[in-house]
Amino acid sequence: MAGWDLEGFHSGGDTEAWKRLGSHVLTVPGPDGPVSGTRFAVWAPQARAVSVAGDFNGWAGTPLELMPGTGVWAGFVPGVGVGALYKFQILTRDGEWLEKADPMARYAEQPPATASIVWESGYEWRDEEWLARRARSEPRVEPISIYEVHLGSWRGAKGYRELADELIEYVTWQGYTHVEFLPLAQHPFAPSWGYQVTGYFAPQSTMGDPDDLRYLIDRLHAAGIGVLLDWVPGHFPKDAWALGRFDGSALYEHADPRQGEHTDWGTYIFNFGRNEVKSFLVSNALYWIEEFHIDGLRVDAVASMLYLDYSRNEGEWVPNQYGGRENLEAIDFLRYVNTHLHDRVPGIMTIAEESTSFPGVTRPAAEGGLGFTFKWNMGWMNDTLSYLGREPIHRQYHHHDMTFSMVYAWSENFILPISHDEVVHGKGSMINKVPGDDWQKFATLRAYYAFMWSHPGKQLLFMGQEFGQRPEFDESVPPEWWVSDLWGHNGLQQLVRDLNRTYRDNPALWSIDNAPSGFAWIDADDSGGNAFSFLRFGANGEQLAAVINFSPEPREDLRIGLPAEGTWREVLNTDAEFYDGTGRFGNSGQVIARPVPHGNFPASASIVLPPLAALWFVHDPHGPVDDLG
């Protein structure tokens, strides 16, 4: 192994570090012929000695050799193959022996056991057509509707392979374009939902081996479903056997707790300015995309990375070199990751969970932005959920909560998220955020989802909210699937299915999501009626009108301005009996716009707007213009 090139790793430019470090099964020349075994390599520059211990040597430890000038310890152990258990034994400068899991392990023992496992993939992918199509895709101008899933509890304690048929059948039936998995990197603490990662390169082993996960993703691709994965580069837990103080020094984290610890979360913060850490993390991002064919990464807690004073009091943080609060090293790192991933694998997405107004999150890095494809619209989520939780009589005084998002709608490329974070820890499930009796709860939630699906931006809904689950998310139990057969729940589930299909079938709802030319208000000021109406325009010339009523009072003769005369087909009515609505208020499938100016528009139509409901109309230039009243 003399002359082994680790220059890229030390310069921050190694984007495939998993190929050099960790464990790899090899066959090498020997005096009596080829010898099979495993090469182990680990970065531990402050160690005095390093051994690899495993079930192949009685956990006694086989010494590794320090490669001069690299800080990497490596060695070849004959006879060790796939499935072998191992850990690194590290002697610190202080004379203490540490036992550590491999930071680059590609497989790990099931918790509570913590050993790493030698692994080589034998999986044969069959998604060439999907990858070729993805490489030609432009996500910002395509329909994207995401089903967020905690895979460990979605259908109870099932494995990757076992889940494949059920997940594909359900997501296909519901009509989502993508699934997004809460983090699937190895995490021993189940209630962290995957956000406290101990094995960045190892898929969670409680659901199977790495090739079982490959099988699930391959099957999803075959069914035309994209796969997004939560990625957690902002922090990592303090488990003694994992990354923290890896060689007795602050190797992956900052030594200064003002920079290196999240006291709120009890975790360490990566040292984004250290080149080897940059190589580790950018390699990890690429690893999930290259090795598991993931179609995009949703980056967790970006705001905590961007600001040095995030969740800190005065005197508890260290300013940057210019005296500011921005974490310049983290900003450079995010630009680097986004640029590399998009250049390396065209068509993939990176998505920022970023809760502040940091500028240019989705602007290309070359233009001074962070380079993400999309950003979660946390402002839209907070404002609209605040409105949703008010009694209808009080909503008129908070009308702007539903319209304010259009003030900044074009500042970023947005995803509208109703995620797991909104239905945990006392926040209440979606159905229980809404006041009133069950009729009002379900009707309001149907109207809200239709508002969400017609609003500029892509869509994301967390599992269980598509049928109005009443309990909050609990990672230890699956959603209450049995209620989806009941009144209200079933109607809501059927509505989400039709929202997804109607959304995908109408380019007006997604092809101009990021420019003012894709949207116009019909009436943004009907606060007294708790009503909102607007137009969406497609790149193909399609026009869709959305009218939403958050009042329990119907509007029997509401005149709305429209940009074109003629037939406007009613393609959605959330008050339909099929959705467990009243079924008493509708427009016989269409309305006719006459050349009667109204508001800013040359034509108008009189519509029936049901209580606590939403309507969508699509202009049909070839439709009949007979008088329907």
Side-chain angles (χ1 to χ4, degrees), residues 502-512 536-540 542:
T502 309
Y503 167 77
R504 292 174 80 162
D505 289 345
N506 290 275
L509 293 173
W510 45 262
S511 60
I512 311 179
R536 298 297 308 278
F537 303 101
N540 64 345
E542 182 186 75

Side-chain angles (χ1 to χ4, degrees), residues 253-524:
E253 68 274 27
H254 277 282
D256 188 334
R258 295 175 301 167
Q259 298 170 288
E261 294 188 30
H262 274 306
T263 54
D264 287 356
W265 302 335
T267 54
Y268 287 129
I269 301 170
F270 281 107
N271 181 352
F272 302 108
R274 186 163 197 168
N275 286 336
E276 293 87 353
V277 173
K278 287 163 64 175
S279 288
F280 175 83
L281 288 172
V282 71
S283 293
N284 187 241
L286 183 63
Y287 174 78
W288 290 104
I289 289 169
E290 288 278 1
E291 293 290 321
F292 288 88
H293 294 199
I294 294 293
D295 301 298
L297 298 174
R298 176 267 195 187
V299 183
D300 179 62
V302 170
S304 75
M305 301 170 67
L306 295 177
Y307 299 103
L308 296 163
D309 63 347
Y310 181 86
S311 194
R312 295 178 187 273
N313 298 317
E314 190 70 31
E316 295 178 350
W317 57 283
V318 179
N320 64 33
Q321 65 192 74
Y322 304 108
R325 57 194 286 258
E326 295 80 15
N327 188 334
L328 303 179
E329 294 167 342
I331 291 168
D332 286 344
F333 164 73
L334 289 169
R335 287 173 173 160
Y336 174 39
V337 170
N338 283 320
T339 299
H340 181 74
L341 293 183
H342 287 118
D343 287 350
R344 182 78 171 263
V345 192
I348 59 98
M349 293 180 254
T350 57
I351 302 163
E353 185 216 10
E354 203 285 303
S355 55
T356 74
S357 55
F358 190 91
V361 172
T362 58
R363 192 185 310 137
E367 298 173 16
L370 294 182
F372 285 93
T373 319
F374 294 109
K375 170 181 171 172
W376 274 18
N377 194 336
M378 311 293 278
W380 173 90
M381 178 271 298
N382 285 313
D383 289 347
T384 61
L385 290 186
S386 175
Y387 181 91
L388 194 71
R390 300 184 186 278
E391 294 285 350
I393 191 67
H394 298 137
R395 288 174 182 158
Q396 60 187 309
Y397 307 112
H398 301 274
H399 195 76
H400 65 281
D401 283 348
M402 299 293 276
T403 61
F404 182 65
S405 58
M406 295 312 303
V407 173
Y408 60 85
W410 324 121
S411 63
E412 301 281 4
N413 305 311
F414 284 120
I415 288 174
L416 309 180
I418 300 298
S419 75
H420 64 282
D421 277 334
E422 311 323 315
V423 293
V424 293
H425 298 327
K427 293 183 179 179
S429 63
M430 284 298 288
I431 197 68
N432 284 331
K433 293 180 190 293
V434 184
D437 59 21
D438 268 6
W439 179 83
Q440 289 177 307
K441 285 177 180 288
F442 282 107
T444 303
L445 199 50
R446 291 193 303 268
Y448 177 80
Y449 286 165
F451 171 79
M452 173 180 173
W453 255 254
S454 53
H455 188 286
K458 313 307 183 184
Q459 323 300 327
L460 180 142
L461 200 62
F462 182 58
M463 66 183 198
Q465 306 317 312
E466 75 275 18
F467 58 81
Q469 164 154 320
R470 294 182 192 270
E472 293 181 333
F473 167 50
D474 180 347
E475 78 287 338
S476 66
V477 295
E480 292 186 338
W481 292 106
W482 60 274
V483 305
S484 65
D485 292 331
L486 303 179
W487 178 92
H489 298 281
N490 182 259
L492 185 62
Q493 188 182 44
Q494 296 291 343
L495 173 73
V496 171
R497 175 180 184 268
D498 285 355
L499 285 174
N500 277 328
R501 277 162 174 69
T502 309
Y503 167 77
R504 292 174 80 162
D505 289 345
N506 290 275
L509 293 173
W510 45 262
S511 60
I512 311 179
D513 253 345
N514 307 304
S517 58
F519 177 91
W521 283 110
I522 296 173
D523 189 349

